[in-house]
């Protein structure tokens, strides 16, 4: 990665000092700051007005207790978070993550990334993120419902369609959003459809929202491949994870002519050289909530590798779609050595800085998460539009809107990278394009 400009070194040191022990947040801030040297040289007013320092400090951080009871009557206490990071472009917008690894540093890294991702969409939405260290895995529907109701009993006072609009993330799908929306409605006595996105289709949800992040990542990488007179057609692909993002990344790649041969979960990797059966994965993961190893019970030719490393499998396109820092420098080098031509991040910050350097040095197509996976939040914003209009759009129309947004994001990142002398560097393009729009809005708003 680029060396940090000396004008920004003090900013980064202050972030480290003010946010001790939050390694993921530090990593996310550094990754953006490394791109901004030429920007602050061109726009010294950003430094004079302390725009970068202000962006790095959340507007509001909320931490709260979430007590709930399991099916046996035992009381549990979890911790809830909502970091309302930046509202320069619109109401705070970003998902809720329920996972045991969640702590303030994870939420701040996700919220910080969300600012620039949301900016890139061109939609009027600011950046935020939230969640809890609650683990929905292995819990009954009733237990998940009681937790979600307790969580929303505190969160409701901080959100609203013009203030902060949460959505789903890891551990938070349609079931959890439904329970939280029901509790919000019960407490407030308002049918405020725009307060949450990712809702069920029967109560204000949007078609394509479920598919959006995965479809969007595939659209972005397809556009990037076009710049090299290439496409997904005939490409062998890997997609890590087997949740929402992974499933619909696989589906769209298959529609674009590629062949995904492996996906994964936290226990291992499934390999199907004939091409993954998306319908079966949907049944196992979305309906029955089973582990990916059960895929091999239905397709005997497929191989399940317990605790396997998906990035050791040769491929031409890799789509990390599981979690942060899942590709390290060694994994990246293995992918490049095995002939990988393109990497598209469906997950948030799934590649370590060492891995990013390998991809950039190899000059392969590399679509960073804040650009490549922006389709999810873009379609959340489209859901907000439909809610405001009391309308519901058809699937094909909504998917075309999503594709247009992803094409525009790709073009913006591509053009900005060229403007700043780094053609093909989507990291620099995404960071600068996302930052400058937010920074200009903050300058216009004055010191607030």
């Amino acid at each position: 990665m680029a060396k940090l400009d000396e004008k920004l070194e003090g900013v980064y040191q202050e972030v480290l000092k003010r946010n001790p022990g939050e390694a993921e947040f530090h990593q996310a801030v550094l990754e953006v700051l490394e791109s901004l040297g030429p920007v602050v040289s061109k726009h010294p007013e950003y430094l004079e007005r302390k725009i970068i320092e202000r962006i790095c400090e959340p507007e509001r951080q909320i931490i709260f207790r979430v007590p709930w009871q399991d099916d046996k009557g035992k009381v549990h206490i979890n911790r809830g978070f909502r970091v309302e990071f930046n509202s320069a472009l619109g109401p705070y917008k970003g998902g809720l993550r329920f996972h045991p690894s969640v702590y303030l540093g994870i939420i701040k890294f996700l919220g910080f990334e969300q600012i620039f991702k949301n900016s890139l969409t061109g939609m009027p939405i600011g950046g935020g993120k939230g969640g809890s260290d609650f683990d929905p895995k292995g819990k009954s529907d009733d237990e998940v419902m009681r937790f979600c109701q307790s969580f929303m009993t505190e969160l409701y006072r901080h959100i609203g369609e013009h203030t902060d609009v949460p959505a789903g993330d890891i551990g938070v799908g349609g079931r959890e959003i439904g329970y939280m929306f029901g509790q919000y409605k019960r407490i407030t006595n308002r049918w405020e459809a725009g307060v949450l996105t990712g809702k069920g289709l029967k109560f204000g949800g949007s078609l394509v929202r479920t598919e959006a992040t995965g479809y969007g990542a595939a659209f972005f990488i397809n556009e990037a491949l076009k710049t090299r007179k290439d496409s997904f057609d005939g490409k062998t692909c890997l997609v890590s994870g087997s949740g929402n993002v992974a499933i619909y990344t696989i589906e769209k790649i298959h529609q674009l002519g590629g062949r995904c041969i492996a996906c994964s979960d936290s226990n291992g990797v499934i390999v199907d050289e004939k091409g993954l059966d998306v319908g079966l994965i949907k049944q196992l993961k979305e309906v029955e909530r089973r582990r990916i190893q059960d895929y091999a019970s239905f397709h005997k030719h497929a191989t399940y590798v317990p605790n396997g490393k998906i990035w050791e499998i040769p491929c031409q396109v890799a789509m990390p779609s599981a979690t942060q820092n899942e590709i390290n420098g060694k994994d990246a080098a293995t992918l490049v050595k095995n002939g990988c031509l393109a990497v598209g991040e469906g997950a948030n910050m799934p590649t370590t800085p060492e891995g990013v350097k390998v991809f950039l040095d190899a000059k392969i197509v590399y679509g960073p998460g804040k650009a490549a996976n922006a389709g999810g939040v873009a379609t959340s914003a489209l859901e907000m539009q439909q809610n405001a209009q009391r309308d519901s759009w058809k699937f094909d129309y909504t998917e075309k809107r999503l594709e247009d947004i992803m094409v525009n994001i790709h073009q913006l990142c591509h053009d900005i990278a060229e403007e700043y002398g780094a053609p093909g560097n989507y990291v620099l393009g995404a960071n600068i394009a996302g930052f400058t729009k937010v920074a200009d809005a903050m300058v216009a708003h004055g010191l607030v």
Side-chain angles (χ1 to χ4, degrees):
M1 299 295 286
K3 189 176 185 298
L4 189 59
D5 188 287
E6 61 181 13
K7 294 188 287 294
L8 299 173
E9 183 62 44
V11 177
Y12 182 59
Q13 290 305 318
E14 188 65 17
V15 167
L16 296 179
K17 180 181 172 184
R18 291 171 69 87
N19 305 276
E22 298 175 0
E24 297 86 358
F25 178 51
H26 302 160
Q27 180 183 337
V29 170
L30 181 60
E31 192 261 345
V32 172
L33 293 187
E34 285 175 333
S35 299
L36 297 185
V39 179
V40 295
S41 295
K42 192 174 180 180
H43 297 278
E45 68 272 19
Y46 294 157
L47 290 177
E48 292 162 13
R49 297 168 190 251
K50 303 275 189 183
I51 294 294
I52 300 172
E53 290 92 332
R54 286 156 60 190
I55 285 180
C56 291
E57 186 66 26
E59 292 176 14
R60 191 175 295 110
Q61 302 180 63
I62 303 150
I63 304 176
F64 53 96
R65 182 180 66 203
V66 188
W68 60 281
Q69 229 171 1
D70 66 23
D71 290 339
K72 296 178 180 177
K74 184 179 178 183
V75 173
H76 300 263
I77 309 295
N78 285 96
R79 183 172 288 178
F81 302 89
R82 188 67 182 173
V83 174
E84 297 175 332
F85 227 114
N86 190 288
S87 59
L89 300 180
Y92 310 107
K93 185 83 193 78
L96 297 169
R97 176 175 294 192
F98 291 171
H99 192 271
S101 66
V102 166
Y103 77 109
L104 186 59
I106 291 272
I107 299 300
K108 282 164 70 174
F109 124 63
L110 292 167
F112 186 76
E113 287 272 294
Q114 200 80 45
I115 299 168
F116 310 109
K117 181 189 304 185
N118 293 2
S119 170
L120 288 171
T121 68
M123 312 294 273
I125 43 178
K129 204 76 180 186
S132 174
D133 55 3
F134 171 76
D135 187 359
K137 196 181 295 180
K139 305 292 192 301
S140 70
D141 285 351
D142 283 347
E143 287 172 330
V144 171
M145 180 184 71
R146 286 192 289 272
F147 175 82
C148 288
Q149 289 175 339
S150 181
F151 184 84
M152 184 53 76
T153 298
E154 173 58 32
L155 186 66
Y156 90 94
R157 69 187 82 242
H158 307 291
I159 64 176
E161 61 180 328
H162 301 297
T163 306
D164 184 354
V165 183
D169 193 83
I170 293 172
V172 178
R175 173 182 62 171
E176 290 78 14
I177 293 291
Y179 292 149
M180 286 188 276
F181 182 77
Q183 185 71 350
Y184 182 87
K185 180 169 66 76
R186 180 187 192 187
I187 293 170
T188 63
N189 193 32
R190 290 199 304 270
W191 179 270
E192 193 179 327
V195 71
L196 288 167
T197 58
K199 299 182 296 296
L201 295 175
K202 292 182 174 65
F203 59 99
S206 173
L207 290 166
V208 189
R209 179 61 190 91
T210 302
E211 297 86 353
T213 308
Y215 277 22
F219 285 141
F220 184 94
I221 293 302
N222 202 46
E223 289 301 305
L225 287 168
K226 286 180 187 176
T227 67
R228 304 189 179 201
K229 296 181 168 44
D230 208 343
S231 72
F232 271 111
D233 196 38
K235 297 287 187 297
T236 299
C237 309
L238 305 177
V239 180
S240 66
S242 51
N244 170 276
V245 179
I247 289 169
Y248 293 100
T249 299
I250 295 166
E251 183 168 274
K252 182 51 67 176
I253 287 173
H254 286 179
Q255 291 173 12
L256 293 169
R259 179 172 58 100
C260 297
I261 62 167
C263 67
S264 62
D265 63 16
S266 55
N267 296 118
V269 176
I270 196 79
V271 183
D272 186 343
E273 294 289 350
K274 293 182 179 180
L276 292 167
D277 181 343
V278 182
L280 175 58
I281 298 172
K282 288 181 183 178
Q283 180 66 28
L284 292 175
K285 303 301 288 190
E286 295 183 333
V287 180
E288 300 177 23
R289 300 182 187 273
R290 290 164 66 174
R291 307 305 290 164
I292 200 64
Q293 70 184 57
D294 294 338
Y295 182 101
S297 302
F298 294 86
H299 289 303
K300 302 297 184 185
H301 62 271
T303 304
Y304 176 68
V305 185
N307 303 312
K309 293 278 285 182
I310 192 170
W311 309 122
E312 293 175 354
I313 302 168
C315 71
Q316 292 159 298
V317 180
M319 305 289 286
S321 307
T323 191
Q324 67 270 7
N325 292 328
E326 56 175 293
I327 296 181
N328 59 31
K330 182 180 176 184
D331 297 328
T334 300
L335 282 165
V336 171
K337 179 184 174 186
N338 286 339
C340 186
L341 305 172
V343 176
E345 295 186 339
N348 293 305
M349 206 170 74
T351 309
T352 67
E354 296 77 19
V356 173
K357 184 177 187 304
V358 169
F359 294 146
L360 294 180
D361 288 349
K363 298 196 181 310
I364 67 170
V365 167
Y366 171 60
K370 65 172 63 69
N373 74 34
V377 73
T379 308
S380 275
L382 297 180
E383 182 177 331
M384 292 164 69
Q385 284 187 23
Q386 292 168 77
N387 293 157
Q389 296 167 355
R390 297 289 195 269
D391 198 0
S392 181
W393 302 340
K394 294 187 184 304
F395 189 98
D396 290 348
Y397 174 77
T398 312
E399 184 182 1
K400 185 65 172 67
R401 289 285 304 269
L402 166 64
E403 184 176 7
D404 289 346
I405 289 167
M406 296 311 299
V407 169
N408 290 339
I409 290 173
H410 171 268
Q411 194 64 50
L412 178 61
C413 297
H414 179 272
D415 292 350
I416 292 292
E418 288 208 337
E419 179 186 333
Y420 279 86
N425 186 333
Y426 294 108
V427 175
L428 185 128
N431 286 337
I432 293 178
F435 169 80
T436 51
K437 185 176 181 184
V438 176
D440 289 345
M442 291 176 70
V443 169
H445 293 168
L447 187 56
V448 293

